[in-house]
Amino acid sequence: MADYADWTLQRGDLNISRARAALDLLASEQRQTCSPDDIARLQELTTDALSVEEIAITSSGRVICNTWGLVRNEMRLTEKSIPLSDGYSLRLNGGGISTPSNGMVVVSHGDYHALLKRARLVDVLHDTPMLLGIASLDGQPIALSGDADPELVSRLVKEETSGFNESEVFASRRGKDFAAFAISNRSVADWRTDSELWKMVPIGVGISLALIALIVWVSRQRLSLAGELATGLHKKELLAHYQPIIELSSGRCIGAEALVRWQKPDGTWVRPDLFVPFAEQNGMIGQVTAIMIQNVILNMKTALAEHRDMHIAINISPQDLESGQFLTLITDEIHAADVQASQVWLEVTERGFIHADIARTTLAKARDAGHVIAIDDFGTGYSSLSLLESLPITVLKIDKSFVDAIGRNAATSLVTPHIIEMAHSLKLKMVAEGIETAEQETILRQSGVQFGQGWLYSKALPFEEFITFYEKRNAGQKTVRR
Ligand code: C2E
Ligand code: MG
Ligand code: MG
């Protein structure tokens, strides 16, 4: 429960920091006149700053323009606000500059205001009976994912705590600006006995038939994909391609990420972002991971034995972390092939940390076996700093969206230096993902990011092509021991 409270706090902080970043840009650019150029900039920042729905500029408390244009009717900021750190403030119920009924909170800095949907601050988990909430440090509820007992809430936000009563378990966390809490029924058995579905039964035979047809169609599609994937796994239609990873200071190729590819017998390729999530949801990802491990060792054992400073990174799914079976398989394969454990990196995403204790146990075993553990797509999930510190991670992969933002004057670009700084302070090595331009490479290298991967260097390659790339790229360069 404490982890859930922690994630909620991180989620709230992240959303507010995106709003802050957009407001800081407006202030630094001195956008005050609401010229057509200013309004175009408001629109651009609203699109860029994920979770910001609208931005407004006021003069003496009156809104003069917002993302949608000039504002002629009288709209005034409400006086009452919750102070946040660094001179920002927060207003509830639309803050007077948006209709109260639409559930907006307003983050303000001077005359600049960003509107966020209140519900966004707590949308940490989907489809859960758990109640998550954020409140001001003095106990005013800001966003709740459901109904909560006000007395329990005010007790939870007063100090960090965790515990239970006859009917609920709960925990709370306090941050710089907010307190967050998670409350769950002790018995989830009675969860949703008044499910929405039952209320909808008497809607009419026509709709029911259409629904049945839809369900049949969807399950056929699922069955056919499940069947095809099972056949594909059995017939070994899945294989690994390798995307080179480059040391930014020297330009050397130091290894590759293995990315799964599926070519069907008719020659068509299925994209991994379609079938990997499907395999995860349908209990088939363990087999995909196993095929990848076998492929990687089969393809790369000679090169890995020849170049001890070369590594291959394998993607590990949350379910793999839970079962831990992949580790036995890797150990068996590398022993039979004269490959060192340090040459096999494991990429895990923040989604894998939902069950933090299980992840910690499996990752500790992997670290003890000698593997390097990287956190993938960093910045897109919800894991907290304290959680990261408690896991044996030594490499952080900066997600492509943060690399894309570099040099674009987008709100997210303000977050990138923070991620880099954080990695430095945690002494983590970094791999920047999705580098496409020389400008991105230069900025990342100058910021002390050690490694990069992306189309600037190469797309993922079949293994023979990767070996050629590696030899060519490193020709004449001395091997460096890491
Ligand atoms: P990922 O692990 O973050 O992999 C990086 C993705 O970014 C790859 O897409 C790669 O081709 C793409 N990429 C790399 N550089 C660039 C660039 O410069 N520009 C652009 N636009 N894209 C770039 P891919 O191969 O389609 O894989 C998508 C995702 O599928 C992966 O993201 C990973 O989450 C998952 N995946 C791929 N292979 C495996 C696997 O073997 N096991 C598991 N569990 N997941 C996998
Ligand atoms: Mg990856
Ligand atoms: Mg990634």
Side-chain angles (χ1 to χ4, degrees):
M1 295 306 287
D3 275 344
Y4 287 115
D6 218 2
W7 281 326
T8 309
L9 192 58
Q10 298 288 324
R11 177 69 169 162
D13 278 344
L14 182 67
N15 279 318
I16 301 286
S17 67
R18 284 170 175 152
R20 286 180 176 213
L23 300 182
D24 286 351
L25 277 177
L26 286 175
S28 69
E29 294 167 10
Q30 301 189 335
R31 306 272 176 183
Q32 279 152 345
T33 59
C34 288
S35 64
D37 187 45
D38 287 351
I39 290 173
R41 186 68 177 133
L42 294 187
Q43 285 165 356
E44 196 177 35
L45 286 173
T46 306
T47 315
D48 275 352
L50 291 172
S51 72
V52 170
E53 305 286 329
E54 183 184 317
I55 302 178
I57 300 181
T58 53
S59 168
S60 313
R62 197 181 92 67
V63 181
I64 47 175
C65 62
N66 61 24
T67 306
W68 321 115
L70 290 173
V71 173
R72 300 196 197 285
N73 48 352
E74 178 81 7
M75 272 209 283
R76 285 200 155 270
L77 269 181
T78 48
E79 299 242 317
K80 201 165 162 236
S81 68
I82 299 168
L84 302 178
S85 52
D86 310 321
Y88 293 82
S89 60
L90 188 83
R91 287 177 171 80
L92 304 178
N93 294 328
I97 60 175
S98 176
T99 43
S101 57
N102 64 2
M104 294 281 189
V105 294
V106 182
V107 179
S108 305
H109 199 208
D111 284 332
Y112 302 105
H113 315 275
L115 283 83
L116 293 89
K117 276 203 185 117
R118 198 175 45 181
R120 279 285 191 105
L121 299 176
V122 288
D123 67 347
V124 175
L125 299 166
H126 295 285
D127 226 8
T128 167
M130 196 178 305
L131 185 128
L132 302 172
I134 282 197
S136 64
L137 291 174
D138 66 0
Q140 276 188 74
I142 295 171
L144 292 171
S145 68
D147 294 329
D149 168 11
E151 245 173 65
L152 177 60
V153 169
S154 74
R155 211 185 101 208
L156 285 178
V157 298
K158 243 184 245 149
E159 55 178 356
E160 288 197 352
T161 176
S162 53
F164 57 88
N165 56 29
E166 325 70 80
S167 53
E168 286 145 329
V169 282
F170 43 75
S172 62
R173 285 281 176 266
R174 282 168 71 85
K176 200 162 64 155
D177 288 322
F178 308 110
F181 49 88
I183 305 173
S184 178
N185 268 349
R186 289 185 73 173
S187 121
V188 272
D190 60 351
W191 174 43
R192 290 189 187 172
T193 41
D194 63 340
S195 165
E196 295 299 315
L197 263 180
W198 292 112
K199 292 183 198 153
M200 290 164 68
V201 167
I203 281 177
V205 179
I207 294 178
S208 310
L209 285 178
L211 266 176
I212 290 167
L214 185 69
I215 290 165
V216 170
W217 183 81
V218 169
S219 49
R220 275 214 184 129
Q221 297 292 313
R222 291 175 71 85
L223 279 178
S224 68
L225 183 51
E228 275 186 63
L229 185 56
T231 313
L233 285 163
H234 183 65
K235 295 199 171 156
K236 306 229 179 312
E237 291 165 11
L238 274 66
L239 49 94
H241 277 189
Y242 299 88
Q243 185 172 38
I245 299 179
I246 304 297
E247 183 173 55
L248 298 182
S249 61
S250 64
R252 288 184 73 247
C253 175
I254 57 146
E257 175 177 0
L259 292 162
V260 66
R261 296 292 178 257
W262 179 13
Q263 190 174 29
K264 296 215 265 185
D266 64 3
T268 53
W269 294 89
V270 188
R271 284 173 26 204
D273 50 352
L274 291 179
F275 72 84
V276 168
F278 180 86
E280 285 179 345
Q281 285 153 20
N282 292 277
M284 299 166 93
I285 195 68
Q287 295 174 67
V288 175
T289 308
I291 288 209
M292 288 298 284
I293 293 168
Q294 286 158 349
N295 260 275
V296 165
I297 301 303
L298 187 69
N299 295 162
M300 293 296 179
K301 60 182 174 196
T302 313
L304 288 170
E306 196 179 325
H307 306 280
R308 287 297 181 199
D309 59 343
M310 180 202 250
H311 79 267
I312 303 294
I314 298 177
N315 289 285
I316 301 297
S317 282
Q319 287 92 328
D320 295 323
L321 278 188
E322 277 191 34
S323 81
Q325 281 170 356
F326 72 95
L327 209 49
T328 326
L329 182 59
I330 296 183
T331 309
D332 291 349
E333 290 276 334
I334 62 175
H335 281 165
D338 188 24
V339 171
Q340 288 167 0
S342 60
Q343 295 183 277
V344 178
W345 291 19
L346 306 173
E347 291 192 8
V348 295
T349 61
E350 293 165 89
R351 286 181 301 124
F353 307 151
I354 293 273
H355 302 293
D357 287 338
I358 303 174
R360 202 173 282 124
T361 312
T362 308
L363 292 179
K365 277 191 201 154
R367 187 244 350 246
D368 293 346
H371 297 291
V372 170
I373 297 157
I375 174 161
D376 201 359
D377 303 339
F378 186 78
T380 59
Y382 306 122
S383 45
S384 64
L385 262 180
S386 57
L387 185 69
L388 282 190
E389 277 180 304
S390 74
L391 294 166
I393 292 162
T394 47
V395 174
L396 184 154
K397 296 196 78 171
I398 304 173
D399 186 64
K400 180 175 185 307
S401 55
F402 297 104
V403 173
D404 280 345
I406 292 175
R408 268 192 50 227
N409 206 14
T412 29
S413 65
L414 297 178
V415 181
T416 317
H418 290 294
I419 294 183
I420 296 175
E421 207 176 291
M422 193 188 79
H424 281 310
S425 67
L426 291 176
K427 306 220 167 8
L428 300 174
K429 292 259 164 69
M430 282 166 278
V431 181
E433 295 185 290
I435 303 181
E436 292 184 350
T437 69
E439 186 200 1
Q440 291 168 341
E441 181 196 64
T442 309
I443 294 176
L444 289 162
R445 189 180 49 240
Q446 285 168 351
S447 319
V449 174
Q450 296 87 348
F451 309 114
Q453 98 188 61
W455 295 353
L456 177 64
Y457 314 105
S458 171
K459 293 195 173 179
L461 303 167
F463 93 91
E464 302 93 338
E465 286 178 36
F466 168 71
I467 302 285
T468 311
F469 176 98
Y470 180 88
E471 305 285 355
K472 224 166 147 188
R473 181 107 193 169
N474 295 353
Q477 298 214 28
K478 268 202 241 122
T479 302
V480 188
R481 287 235 161 257
R482 226 170 306 280

